[in-house]
Structure formats: structure tokens, C-alpha cells
Amino acid sequence: SRSAQLNAHYRQYLVGQETADFIKQVSRQYTVGTLERLATSSRRETRRAAVLALGLMADYESNAVVGRSLTDDDRGVRSLAENSIVSLWRRVGNAAERQQLAQLFRLNSAQQYHECIARASLLLEESPGIAEAWNQRAIAHYSLAEYSESIGDCHQALEINPYHFGAASGMGQCYLQLGDFDS
């Protein structure tokens, strides 16, 4: 069956941790749509394999499927979904937008927050539907203790992507910093 083959590839991946081989084998036999369907299988191992594969092979279009897996009954599925969905968020937009988004990650990592805000603002002027750009700008604002601005950006990220737990957490951190425990 379709799930049995996927499960076999998953077990092989768990033994050897050969990501490239897993992607190669799965991509030969499964479409993203099939993997999305298998992510809701009654079998835990199949859900794990499908969510892992989606995180490695799919793009932002699979966000809702992987997002729903964040609340799976199985802890392993939830863990894989958390890692997979973050990968999907980085694969939004066209090649130029993905490159700009990667730059935002680097700028925040390098603590170049003002530059991150400036570049994120430019990207968002052109592509306001990229939730992760809003989130990266929110992180930069937070790091500069600009909590109200960060809350606004987190809110935008969540409007676009209701599964963005990073933006939800960031918004909560901002409210804590502001001493607003009721929002």
C-alpha cells in the first residue's frame, strides 16, 4: 500500500539519517498532495513519515496540513510538524523573496536589528502576504524593546498564518514586557 512504502522509507531514514536518500525515494513515489492525505492517516508512523516528507519537500502551500499536525495526538508527529512547518515558512514566495527572507534571518542572527527592520519593510511593501517577513521584523522590534511595533507585526503574521506559533509566542512576550497581562 501507499502508506506501507512510505513507512518503509521512514524506517530506513530513522536508521541511517540519510535525508537526501529519503527525499529521493519519497519524491519518486509520492506527490505533495498524496503526502498531505497521508499526514491524516490513522497510523502514527504514516503521519510521522508524511509530515517529515512535507517539511523536506513541500512549500508554503502545505502550511495548513502541517499546521493541523501541530495538535496531533502523537508527540512524535507534533515534534516533526514543528520543525517541518518552520521549513515551509522559509519556502514562501518566489526565489527573490526567499532570498530576501533568508537575509532577514541572517540580520536578526547578527543582531543587526535596524537593518533587518529596514529590509523587512521593503520586502513587505512589495509582498505583504509573507507572514515570516512580518515575524522577522517583529523579532527585530522586540530586540530593540519596541514592543508595540512588535505586537503589530506579530498580529499581521498571525492574520496571514494562524499556525505561526512563533508570532503568537512573540506577541505574548511583548505583552509581558509591557506588563499587560490581560491582552
Side-chain angles (χ1 to χ4, degrees):
S1 77
R2 302 293 288 169
S3 61
Q5 291 173 329
L6 181 61
N7 293 344
H9 295 312
Y10 179 64
R11 281 186 231 109
Q12 185 178 9
Y13 167 78
L14 291 176
V15 171
Q17 296 293 307
E18 295 291 335
T19 305
D21 287 343
F22 179 74
I23 293 170
K24 183 178 173 183
Q25 294 298 322
V26 173
S27 65
R28 283 185 189 163
Q29 297 176 322
Y30 300 91
T31 65
V32 168
T34 300
L35 291 170
E36 288 177 344
R37 284 189 298 283
L38 291 171
T40 63
S41 169
S42 60
R43 295 196 59 208
R44 173 183 68 182
E45 184 179 41
T46 302
R47 293 193 313 275
R48 287 180 179 184
V51 168
L52 173 65
L54 288 168
L56 294 169
M57 298 167 38
D59 60 21
Y60 187 77
E61 298 299 316
S62 296
N63 184 62
V65 171
V66 178
R68 286 188 294 275
S69 296
L70 291 168
T71 59
D72 194 277
D73 291 337
D74 179 63
R75 183 174 166 194
V77 173
R78 291 190 310 267
S79 179
L80 288 165
E82 183 179 336
N83 293 325
S84 292
I85 202 164
V86 171
S87 296
L88 299 181
W89 297 343
R90 293 177 182 225
R91 292 190 213 122
V92 65
N94 61 38
E97 292 164 337
R98 286 190 301 274
Q99 186 176 28
Q100 291 172 51
L101 192 56
Q103 181 67 28
L104 299 180
F105 284 101
R106 287 190 293 275
L107 289 168
N108 269 334
S109 292
Q111 299 179 358
Q112 296 177 348
Y113 305 122
H114 292 289
E115 182 69 17
C116 181
I117 291 168
R119 289 185 184 244
S121 297
L122 290 173
L123 175 56
L124 290 167
E125 283 177 22
E126 296 173 17
S127 306
I130 299 178
E132 190 56 39
W134 290 101
N135 186 59
Q136 289 301 308
R137 191 169 77 173
I139 291 168
H141 279 303
Y142 180 87
S143 299
L144 295 170
E146 298 170 349
Y147 304 120
S148 295
E149 293 87 346
S150 183
I151 289 169
D153 285 350
C154 288
H155 180 73
Q156 282 300 125
L158 286 164
E159 284 290 319
I160 296 163
N161 181 0
Y163 299 104
H164 204 302
F165 54 83
S169 175
M171 186 183 297
Q173 289 298 318
C174 289
Y175 283 123
L176 284 173
Q177 292 296 325
L178 292 171
D180 182 351
F181 306 112
D182 296 324
S183 293

